[in-house]
Amino acid sequence: FFFKQKTAYEILTCDWSSDVCSSDLERQVGLTIAILAILLAVVSALGNEQDNEKIVKQIEASNGFAWYQSKRIRAGMNELMLDQMKVESAGNPTATQREAIAKLEARLTAKNAEYKVENEKILKDAEEAKKLAEQADARGNRYDRAEIFLQIAVVFCSITLLTKARAFFFAGLGLSVLGTLLGAWAFFS
């Protein structure tokens, strides 16, 4: 009725199918599966966050490119109006008409200069958002791969409980290490 404490060597060399080793194995595998479930939940949440970030940045980039194009169209329309005013000025306008044309030309020219400065910033911001979306997509893909390896590791560890075969347990541990490394790479990249 006294239990003898096992040494590490006795645990490693014992028959995994025996009742004593079987309960040790079940505890080890159960704890491993619990840890893997936590890692899997974290990796999954981080992957979803990256997917959301990618979508937000893609929308920002798309909106920026649309805004850039809109301002270019406005500047083009202003240029057409300036050309039309030059043609009208070549005719015989009155002094009041010349004054109005000159004011309008000055206003449109200033607006086009403003559009040019704004467009440079809008285009730069849109390209930066596109770049950030691509980076978030790459990180999200790494998280997805890490999640796959961790899910397979849980399955292999679960098979260990059914078969009592140590090979499945060690394969699960190997896959969990690979999944954890991929998750860390995604996190730190």
Side-chain angles (χ1 to χ4, degrees), residues 13-87:
T13 59
C14 85
D15 177 17
W16 284 76
S17 62
S18 74
D19 288 341
V20 174
C21 284
S22 180
S23 65
D24 289 344
L25 174 68
E26 289 171 1
R27 277 195 296 275
Q28 288 176 343
V29 172
L31 181 61
T32 302
I33 290 173
I35 292 169
L36 288 175
I38 292 168
L39 283 172
L40 186 57
V42 169
V43 166
S44 179
L46 290 172
N48 289 340
E49 182 182 313
Q50 288 306 304
D51 290 340
N52 291 340
E53 180 72 12
K54 175 184 80 170
I55 291 168
V56 167
K57 292 303 178 186
Q58 284 176 335
I59 290 170
E60 285 178 13
S62 179
N63 288 346
F65 289 126
W67 191 20
Y68 170 81
Q69 187 62 29
S70 171
K71 287 198 175 266
R72 285 195 48 163
I73 290 170
R74 287 183 195 164
M77 291 175 63
N78 287 350
E79 288 296 326
L80 286 173
M81 186 168 263
L82 286 167
D83 289 343
Q84 183 180 357
M85 286 188 294
K86 287 177 185 171
V87 169

Side-chain angles (χ1 to χ4, degrees), residues 1 6 27 34 39 59 63-66 72 77 82 86 89 107 111 114 121 141-142 148 164 168 175 187-188:
F1 66 121
K6 289 186 187 182
R27 277 195 296 275
L39 283 172
I59 290 170
N63 288 346
F65 289 126
R72 285 195 48 163
M77 291 175 63
L82 286 167
K86 287 177 185 171
S89 294
R107 195 173 83 215
K111 197 62 171 170
E114 180 183 320
K121 182 182 181 329
N141 288 339
R142 285 186 212 111
I148 289 168
K164 308 289 189 245
F168 287 112
L175 289 169
F187 184 78
F188 291 110

Side-chain angles (χ1 to χ4, degrees), residues 118-132:
E118 287 175 353
N119 268 351
E120 289 172 2
K121 182 182 181 329
I122 291 168
L123 186 60
K124 180 182 170 207
D125 291 346
E127 287 173 348
E128 179 65 23
K130 181 181 176 187
K131 181 178 149 189
L132 291 173

Side-chain angles (χ1 to χ4, degrees), residues 86-152:
K86 287 177 185 171
V87 169
E88 289 177 9
S89 294
N92 196 10
T94 65
T96 306
Q97 288 173 330
R98 284 185 205 272
E99 185 179 323
I101 289 172
K103 285 181 184 178
L104 187 56
E105 276 184 39
R107 195 173 83 215
L108 291 175
T109 302
K111 197 62 171 170
N112 277 357
E114 180 183 320
Y115 285 157
K116 183 176 181 181
V117 171
E118 287 175 353
N119 268 351
E120 289 172 2
K121 182 182 181 329
I122 291 168
L123 186 60
K124 180 182 170 207
D125 291 346
E127 287 173 348
E128 179 65 23
K130 181 181 176 187
K131 181 178 149 189
L132 291 173
E134 290 168 353
Q135 290 172 351
D137 185 40
R139 275 191 306 275
N141 288 339
R142 285 186 212 111
Y143 279 125
D144 291 343
R145 288 181 187 97
E147 189 175 350
I148 289 168
F149 281 108
L150 289 171
Q151 287 174 347
I152 294 170

